[in-house]
Amino acid sequence: MTGGGLLVAGTTSDAGKSVVTAGICRWLVRQGVKVAPFKAQNMSLNSFVTREGAEIGRAQAMQAQACRIEPTALMNPVLLKPGGERSSQVVLLGRPVGEMSARGYHGGRQQQLLGTVLDSLAQLRATYDAVICEGAGSPAEINLRRTDIVNMGIARNASLPVLVVGDIDRGGVFASFFGTVALLSREDQELVVGFLVNKFRGDVSLLEPGLDMLHGLTGRHTYGVLPFRHGLGIDEEDGLAVSLRGAVRESAVAAPVGEDVLRIAVCAVPLMSNFTDVDALAAEPGVVVRFVDRPEELADADLVVVPGTRGTVRALEWLRERGLADALRRRAAEGRPVLGICGGFQILGEHIEDDVESRAGRVDGLGILPVRVRFAREKTLERPVGEALGEPVEGYEIHHGVADVRGGEAFISDGRGHSLDGCRVGQTWGTHWHGSLESDGFRRAFLREVAAAAGRRFVPAPDTSFAALREEQLDRLGDLIEQHADTDALWRLIESGAPRGLPFVPPGAPA
């Protein structure tokens, strides 16, 4: 028996598809439904490694957590990792299969992957009671419809009802809803069942006349109006959901335990990947995390983080052009804390030999850590565990660079004195491990070291659990769906598909 399904599309990128999908998943699993997430094709630099060593989008890993299941490659069979304005690395079923231009991908390669996508979805539907699928961008991208495998392409092939989410906080949501339907072919429109309003502020009764008019124009219902909530932007895909110099998250946290706050600056390097690494820092009471792009913004920072990047050599050049490279060298020489993660770790080393990513050959690094990096064609995809600063730590690795550490102190070890990853010189640390700061004991020990080096009377909270905070966020998403969406109608869609007789809204898709 094939499980039920639903596709959550959006009027735009960042309309809220990822969090709505996660919310529906968490609501369903709390009802005892065995549910899984799915996104046919994901374009993101925020990725995750599954237990079997497959790379998928972090949003799908977060949605799997909402379902209380382990993520697998089936949940995101195609992942595109941008490497520039016109090309991306194509990751198929968790493994990189090459670089491709946007023209080459949409010109034929994308359609070739439809079989893999449909097979992945079919396997999930054969295993779970329900599969909640997430679209990408907008389903009304008329220039891309012919080769689409993530929006109406997958909906048509798998007979999925489609719910369209719109962000009313941006304005223009009625025009966006109507236009999305009106730009689709008659066959596509037959699967678009209705709308979900996201991020509404104010009195919902004032919105209801517009929803009634929208129903009159399209013949489709609105399945809920979700109120605006702070702090729910978890594991985004489409880029930073904050301004460059904004706080990393809007969620309010408790007051500092100690007398001081700790200020952390994250260098906003090009093609920044897995910037979610700093979420665990931002979750600590008294820790202020900001993204920066100027050297003077490092002056009052107690810790500077050089994050991961899909373009290590390009990021290195950017740091030099901005004057941030010199500022980082000065910090290290003065014994002021610096942390490099993955690509950031490689940048802090002596040199990089890259004939894979940038094909720039040998490039000098910042020379702060005694590390030499050579890019291998085979990508490292692992979920390691170890010990650092006397505390257990785990993470995940996603990198082509192979580090040859030639000095310094071990950073992460196996607990028996053997180094597993990274190194430390003075107050500069480097590691390839993403997600290590989510290990609570290690994070607290690291922040204590940073505070001591910075001369701050900052004390980490003794009871902050990042995993518990993530669960609270997912439950809040589930609450939004349960309290503000027509869940009975949603379940009928998931179980029975799109109702027959939905009216056609002209003009429809162009010939």
Side-chain angles (χ1 to χ4, degrees):
M1 178 179 175
T2 299
L6 175 72
L7 189 141
V8 178
T11 56
T12 63
S13 293
D14 204 31
K17 298 184 294 292
S18 295
V19 293
V20 166
T21 300
I24 294 174
C25 287
R26 178 49 62 102
W27 159 65
L28 285 171
V29 80
R30 293 195 307 206
Q31 311 310 307
V33 176
K34 189 180 177 185
V35 59
F38 178 79
K39 185 160 184 171
Q41 172 197 292
N42 194 347
M43 177 172 279
S44 179
L45 288 171
N46 282 344
S47 58
F48 184 75
V49 178
T50 67
R51 292 289 180 195
E52 69 267 29
E55 185 180 9
I56 65 172
R58 268 199 71 104
Q60 280 60 66
M62 176 267 291
Q63 291 160 357
Q65 187 175 347
C67 298
R68 297 180 178 145
I69 58 176
E70 274 291 323
T72 72
L74 293 175
M75 298 171 187
N76 178 206
V78 181
L79 173 63
L80 305 178
K81 303 194 72 174
E85 294 296 326
R86 298 184 180 180
S87 67
S88 294
Q89 183 180 65
V90 181
V91 179
L92 181 61
L93 289 174
R95 295 289 172 181
V97 294
E99 297 279 337
M100 187 164 289
S101 70
R103 180 178 292 275
Y105 184 70
H106 291 288
R109 176 61 168 161
Q110 184 179 35
Q111 192 67 20
Q112 294 170 8
L113 298 175
L114 180 60
T116 300
V117 164
L118 291 172
D119 182 62
S120 298
L121 177 57
Q123 288 186 58
L124 290 175
R125 295 182 79 178
T127 306
Y128 293 90
D129 302 328
V131 178
I132 307 304
C133 307
E134 180 187 342
S138 161
E141 306 288 358
I142 55 178
N143 57 316
L144 303 177
R145 175 61 185 92
R146 183 177 61 83
T147 57
D148 170 48
I149 64 170
V150 66
N151 291 305
M152 301 313 300
I154 190 76
R156 284 269 292 278
N157 277 280
S159 299
L160 294 170
V162 178
L163 182 70
V164 181
V165 177
D167 180 355
I168 198 170
D169 198 47
R170 295 182 172 189
V173 75
F174 291 115
S176 298
F177 281 147
F178 180 85
T180 296
V181 179
L183 280 175
L184 298 177
S185 69
R186 186 180 299 273
E187 294 79 8
D188 284 351
Q189 287 192 27
E190 289 174 354
L191 293 173
V192 178
V193 296
F195 314 107
L196 188 72
V197 177
N198 191 29
K199 298 184 184 178
F200 179 72
R201 305 175 192 249
D203 184 349
V204 73
S205 66
L206 300 176
L207 189 66
E208 287 170 353
L211 300 179
D212 292 339
M213 286 184 272
L214 183 66
H215 177 256
L217 289 165
T218 67
R220 288 159 173 83
H221 293 287
T222 297
Y223 286 78
V225 178
L226 308 185
F228 186 96
R229 290 288 186 267
H230 286 283
L232 293 180
I234 48 180
D235 292 3
E236 293 96 341
E237 314 176 336
D238 298 316
L240 290 175
V242 292
S243 64
L244 182 61
R245 296 179 188 85
V248 66
R249 290 289 180 265
E250 296 175 316
S251 55
V253 294
V257 175
E259 297 178 43
D260 287 343
V261 298
L262 208 62
R263 295 172 176 84
I264 298 177
V266 184
C267 295
V269 297
L271 298 173
M272 181 164 33
S273 61
N274 288 59
F275 58 80
T276 48
D277 282 333
V278 299
D279 282 1
L281 297 175
E284 283 285 347
V287 173
V288 179
V289 179
R290 297 173 68 85
F291 291 96
V292 303
D293 67 345
R294 296 195 299 248
E296 55 268 27
E297 293 175 299
L298 306 189
D300 66 346
D302 302 308
L303 169 68
V304 174
V305 178
V306 187
T309 171
R310 172 79 168 88
T312 306
V313 170
R314 179 177 169 186
L316 186 53
E317 293 170 350
W318 181 87
L319 290 168
R320 288 189 168 114
E321 291 166 0
R322 296 272 175 153
L324 286 159
D326 290 337
L328 287 167
R329 286 197 193 94
R330 286 194 298 271
R331 280 189 69 91
E334 293 165 1
R336 303 179 65 199
V338 176
L339 171 65
I341 302 175
C342 199
F345 169 40
Q346 297 167 7
I347 283 168
L348 297 177
E350 295 174 0
H351 68 249
I352 298 166
E353 293 183 24
D354 181 10
D355 296 316
V356 176
E357 191 175 78
S358 68
R359 297 181 175 84
R362 177 167 167 152
V363 178
D364 289 337
L366 299 189
I368 300 172
L369 292 177
V371 177
R372 299 177 183 179
V373 176
R374 176 185 55 80
F375 273 58
R377 298 202 174 275
E378 188 73 19
K379 182 185 280 191
T380 297
L381 295 168
E382 294 180 356
R383 289 274 293 273
V385 295
E387 180 182 290
L389 303 179
E391 297 285 348
V393 60
E394 59 183 283
Y396 55 99
E397 295 187 62
I398 306 170
H399 54 91
H400 284 279
V402 179
D404 177 12
V405 179
R406 300 192 166 206
E409 303 173 44
F411 187 15
I412 300 176
S413 71
D414 62 0
R416 298 186 296 273
H418 302 109
S419 178
L420 291 179
D421 181 77
C423 71
R424 171 185 182 177
V425 173
Q427 297 301 321
T428 300
W429 296 266
T431 176
H432 272 130
W433 290 21
H434 294 291
S436 60
L437 293 165
E438 295 178 18
S439 300
D440 297 325
F442 164 68
R443 182 180 64 254
R444 287 192 278 269
F446 178 69
L447 290 176
R448 281 193 292 269
E449 290 238 2
V450 169
R456 297 286 186 190
R457 290 173 292 183
F458 168 84
V459 178
D463 55 355
T464 301
S465 166
F466 186 75
L469 289 172
R470 172 52 57 85
E471 278 295 304
E472 289 174 15
Q473 283 185 311
L474 293 171
D475 276 331
R476 289 173 67 198
L477 292 178
D479 292 344
L480 279 179
I481 298 299
E482 189 170 333
Q483 297 167 12
H484 300 282
D486 186 343
T487 52
D488 289 341
L490 284 178
W491 178 246
R492 286 195 296 271
L493 292 175
I494 293 167
E495 193 173 38
S496 304
R500 294 184 179 275
L502 290 169
F504 174 70
V505 179

